[in-house]
Amino acid sequence: MELGNWPVQAGWYLAGVATAAGVLWLRRSDARRGEEMQPGVDPYLLPDPALRWLLRSHGGVGVWISEPSQTEGDEHRWQRVLADARLSAAQLEMIEERLRSARERSGSGVERIEPGTLLFGSTGGIAAGLLLPPDASRPTLQEASEDLVRLLEGMARRPMLARLTQDAEGSVESIGSIGLRLAYQLERILNAEVLVAAAQGESVKVIGVSGRADRRLMDNFAVVGSPLFQVARGDIPRISTIADPLGGIVSDRRARPAPALVLPIKNGEVLVGAVAFWTDVEAAPIGPVIAEVQEAMRSAGPRLSNALEYEKVQEISILDPLTGIKNRRGLEVEMGKPGIQRGALVYADLDKFMLLNDTLGHPAGDAALVHFSRILHEQIRGGDTAARIGGEEFAVWLPTANLAYGLKIADRIRIKLGTTPWDWQGRTWPLSASFGVAAMPDTSRSIQNLAAQADAALLVAKEGGRNRVEAARGMSGSRDSHAG
């Protein structure tokens, strides 16, 4: 039986990096009885302590939360905390199926089910649920629902605030910092879901999402010809559209009350990006509201332009001039980013490359390196990094991936290289490569050890006959291999 819906909406907004810690403040009760915890959730405690706090505060039976995962085959990471073992396996499956459905709908509500009363909510690709006893009172349901909403809000903002805090430590404002600030500023002005994108070369990339927007969109690229792409590139001056502004890069089933309005971001007369937002009313903002929106975008334009130019300069120092992919320093920058808990590192080496150089000449060798780098780039995800770290030596960094996924990607690259014809000035030359794969925490608890492990596994692949994929000898001492 449906009891009602409580919308999951952002109740506070980001005013600046200086107040980042304050933004994460949430209601806490001053009263405590012994060790009893009162209602209130602090996202700094996520995931486990805050879940237990929420559970004990309301005398709950169980609490669940999920976040999107970038690992292939693992769409979401689920975590649950149960007060006791009173729920059967069938009941757990029933509850989690309901929560998966709620996550797809991106809404919130409460439902009476056999084990009790289930509160659920979803926003920005994150879902949460709280199961209360069947006799929970209406005030308890209301308080618990409010805390569940706050939990979701805190989860949605946590990665954004971490990113802003990182940017604050640097001397130059980053593209991501500008995008996030503008997204949150416009959300505050418009009470709307906001996306901010920057025009980077031939692409248009999402650099900011507001608290009410789907954070899975962050760092994705707009589809060529989509409304956001066209406005950011100057193909059209502005547009109001019922279509997905990004061209449907992430599945989104939410029903919105009005079309999206897409406006350009300029530095003077030069286009540098675009914003898209959905208001809660049919008409576009007018009067003082649109004036405030325009002022925010005018302020962001020159800053974004400067950040884009600065990034171009920085890119030169971390890119391999021959292949256009990252160099060793660029790889180290990606692997050195804070907060990494798991990932897979693939080392690759073109087989018999010296013979190719001696037979066809060094220009042919350079062409083969460019060919291989393109295959690497095509076979990895958007957030992964391909790098040339030596003469014919390459690496692929797969953040969030486990060892099995790293082996899968390495073998996919190996097969693609071996089945894609390549020739130099009409002379066909078979190309193959050997691979070594290490992963954290599968083969090492420290990210600093992955390079040595992957290199050792690569040597085993070379000595084992080439055109092979070898796994590093991990903490268990086991090793997997794939051969052509």
Side-chain angles (χ1 to χ4, degrees):
M1 178 177 66
E2 194 75 19
L3 296 182
N5 289 313
W6 296 299
V8 179
Q9 295 183 348
W12 28 261
Y13 300 88
L14 183 62
V17 174
T19 59
V23 169
L24 283 177
W25 176 87
L26 296 171
R27 176 175 57 86
R28 301 183 190 180
S29 173
D30 292 329
R32 294 187 179 223
R33 297 184 182 90
E35 293 187 359
E36 289 295 319
M37 295 185 182
Q38 300 302 315
V41 176
D42 186 341
Y44 272 129
L45 302 178
L46 294 172
D48 193 11
L51 298 186
R52 294 185 184 278
W53 187 350
L54 183 65
L55 191 68
R56 295 175 59 187
S57 294
H58 303 290
V61 179
V63 61
W64 292 257
I65 197 158
S66 78
E67 289 185 273
S69 172
Q70 293 182 332
T71 303
E72 188 169 293
D74 180 17
E75 183 185 357
H76 276 71
R77 299 188 299 270
W78 281 94
Q79 182 175 350
R80 71 183 180 209
V81 177
L82 303 178
D84 52 42
R86 77 179 74 172
L87 296 176
S88 67
Q91 288 173 328
L92 286 172
E93 177 60 30
M94 174 190 67
I95 292 168
E96 290 170 8
E97 180 58 38
R98 277 172 163 76
L99 293 177
R100 280 190 288 269
S101 177
R103 185 186 68 209
E104 294 297 325
R105 295 197 305 269
S106 191
S108 61
V110 56
E111 183 181 359
R112 296 280 192 191
I113 58 177
E114 182 187 350
T117 303
L118 180 64
L119 307 174
F120 58 86
S122 177
T123 184
I126 306 168
L130 175 63
L131 182 65
L132 298 178
D135 57 354
S137 66
R138 186 80 183 186
T140 298
L141 292 174
Q142 183 67 37
E143 282 191 346
S145 176
E146 291 171 358
D147 278 348
L148 196 64
V149 167
R150 289 183 171 92
L151 177 68
L152 285 165
E153 290 174 350
M155 290 290 288
R157 285 163 172 75
R158 187 176 55 163
M160 302 304 176
L161 292 171
R163 187 164 179 169
L164 283 174
T165 302
Q166 286 176 15
D167 292 336
E169 296 172 354
S171 58
V172 178
E173 192 175 17
S174 74
I175 293 171
S177 174
I178 295 167
L180 290 170
R181 287 172 185 271
L182 182 59
Y184 276 85
Q185 187 179 7
L186 294 181
E187 182 184 73
R188 176 186 58 78
I189 297 168
L190 297 163
N191 189 31
E193 178 183 343
V194 182
L195 303 177
V196 179
Q200 296 179 291
E202 298 299 314
S203 304
V204 174
K205 181 181 180 181
V206 177
I207 60 169
V209 298
S210 68
R212 295 171 60 181
D214 190 340
R215 66 186 178 93
R216 294 176 297 172
L217 297 172
M218 192 69 181
D219 295 327
N220 276 284
F221 292 89
V223 173
V224 175
S226 64
L228 197 64
F229 182 92
Q230 293 185 72
V231 173
R233 297 294 305 279
D235 299 334
I236 51 178
R238 57 182 280 169
I239 188 174
S240 177
T241 176
I242 59 172
D244 184 342
L246 288 165
I249 56 175
V250 171
S251 177
D252 190 344
R253 302 180 183 180
R254 288 175 289 179
R256 295 184 174 90
L261 185 61
V262 186
L263 303 174
I265 304 174
K266 295 183 177 182
N267 177 24
E269 295 302 316
V270 179
L271 277 167
V272 292
V275 300
F277 57 85
W278 294 261
T279 63
D280 292 333
V281 294
E282 290 289 341
I286 58 174
V289 174
I290 195 63
E292 194 174 355
V293 169
Q294 290 171 342
E295 178 58 33
M297 294 172 64
R298 271 195 298 269
S299 173
R303 291 159 43 224
L304 180 55
S305 179
N306 291 337
L308 288 168
E309 288 299 319
Y310 179 77
E311 185 176 83
K312 287 180 183 178
V313 174
Q314 293 297 104
E315 280 289 307
I316 294 174
S317 68
I318 61 174
L319 292 181
D320 175 55
L322 174 64
T323 63
I325 61 176
K326 292 286 199 310
N327 57 21
R328 183 181 292 274
R329 180 173 178 272
L331 176 67
E332 290 171 351
V333 168
E334 292 299 320
M335 294 184 66
K337 289 182 176 179
I340 296 176
Q341 297 180 349
R342 64 175 179 172
L345 179 64
V346 179
Y347 266 23
D349 193 287
L350 282 173
D351 296 329
K352 300 182 179 179
F353 184 72
M354 186 177 296
L355 178 61
L356 186 158
N357 266 339
D358 292 344
T359 305
L360 301 181
H362 288 281
D366 288 348
L369 295 173
V370 172
H371 174 72
F372 186 42
S373 70
R374 288 174 180 164
I375 289 177
L376 290 177
H377 185 71
E378 291 169 357
Q379 298 300 313
I380 60 178
R381 306 167 299 181
D384 299 336
T385 300
R388 181 184 175 208
I389 58 174
E392 69 273 23
E393 299 171 357
F394 293 80
V396 175
W397 168 238
L398 307 167
T400 77
N402 57 21
L403 181 63
Y405 183 66
L407 291 169
K408 176 182 176 181
I409 293 299
D411 204 45
R412 192 163 77 188
I413 294 169
R414 183 188 66 82
I415 293 171
K416 182 68 175 179
L417 178 64
T419 56
T420 302
W422 181 81
D423 68 82
W424 175 251
Q425 297 180 346
R427 179 171 176 178
T428 301
W429 187 277
L431 294 176
S432 68
S434 302
F435 300 81
V437 185
M440 180 184 71
D442 306 69
T443 65
S444 172
R445 294 186 178 89
S446 172
I447 196 170
Q448 283 76 26
N449 295 335
L450 294 184
Q453 287 188 338
D455 192 45
L458 172 60
L459 180 60
V460 173
K462 286 283 191 183
E463 293 175 345
R466 300 186 177 89
N467 194 22
R468 301 171 61 87
V469 177
E470 289 285 345
R473 192 175 299 279
M475 292 178 289
S476 64
S478 60
R479 173 178 282 145
D480 296 323
S481 64
H482 303 267

